Amino acid sequence: MTAELSYKEVKKTVFKIPLHQLMIGVLVAVVFYFVQGMPSAYAAFAGASISTLGSLVFASIVFLSPVREQRQIKSRMVTGELFKIITVVVLFYIAIVVLELALLPLLLGFVATFFTFWVALLTAFK
């Protein structure tokens, strides 16, 4: 059994996850650059950025102001997840409809960083 993590340690870990997502996003974009060229690389990085920004929105809402009670943390997590979903939907709309980015690289960039998010959570808090 692992020792219980402090609030400060959890906060630090949750804000590191978007950094890892961004690194994976750059890697996916570089692969697309060499395989399909710059437009696909741009789309892949945009997809990765969507996931990364969603994670940052969640972390910011949950952890940026002091918390006093467990109930308050739960409420912020629900609010954070709601705003994360809204952020992701709006950014996908912009990427697909406004910027007209290539769909496959966009989705693969998003999926790679979304997978990174879950792997990081599962390994950081075991």
Side-chain angles (χ1 to χ4, degrees), residues 24-41:
I24 294 298
V26 168
L27 179 64
V28 171
V30 167
V31 169
F32 268 100
Y33 175 75
F34 286 113
V35 173
Q36 293 185 342
M38 192 60 174
S40 291

Side-chain angles (χ1 to χ4, degrees), residues 18-32 40-49 51-52 105 108-110 112-114 116:
L19 178 62
H20 292 113
Q21 288 179 287
L22 187 60
M23 291 184 328
I24 294 298
V26 168
L27 179 64
V28 171
V30 167
V31 169
F32 268 100
S40 291
Y42 180 68
F45 186 73
S49 297
S51 179
T52 302
L108 288 177
F110 179 82
T113 52
F114 191 72
T116 302

Side-chain angles (χ1 to χ4, degrees), residues 41-64:
Y42 180 68
F45 186 73
S49 297
I50 290 170
S51 179
T52 302
L53 288 172
S55 296
L56 279 173
V57 166
F58 175 81
S60 297
I61 289 172
V62 174
F63 290 106
L64 279 186

Side-chain angles (χ1 to χ4, degrees), residues 2-121:
T2 60
E4 194 170 313
L5 296 171
S6 72
Y7 178 81
K8 189 175 183 178
E9 292 169 322
V10 171
K11 180 179 176 179
K12 183 179 174 182
T13 301
V14 168
F15 276 101
K16 277 185 181 179
I17 291 173
L19 178 62
H20 292 113
Q21 288 179 287
L22 187 60
M23 291 184 328
I24 294 298
V26 168
L27 179 64
V28 171
V30 167
V31 169
F32 268 100
Y33 175 75
F34 286 113
V35 173
Q36 293 185 342
M38 192 60 174
S40 291
Y42 180 68
F45 186 73
S49 297
I50 290 170
S51 179
T52 302
L53 288 172
S55 296
L56 279 173
V57 166
F58 175 81
S60 297
I61 289 172
V62 174
F63 290 106
L64 279 186
S65 58
V67 178
R68 301 204 193 304
E69 301 174 1
Q70 185 175 3
R71 190 188 79 212
Q72 196 176 21
I73 293 172
K74 289 178 184 177
S75 173
R76 283 192 190 169
M77 289 182 75
V78 170
T79 303
E81 195 61 38
L82 176 65
F83 277 95
K84 176 182 177 177
I85 291 168
I86 291 168
T87 300
V88 167
V89 168
V90 168
L91 291 175
F92 263 118
Y93 175 82
I94 292 169
I96 294 169
V97 176
V98 177
L99 300 175
E100 298 179 354
L101 297 176
L103 193 56
L104 182 63
L106 180 73
L107 291 176
L108 288 177
F110 179 82
V111 168
T113 52
F114 191 72
F115 182 72
T116 302
F117 170 81
W118 282 105
V119 169
L121 282 180

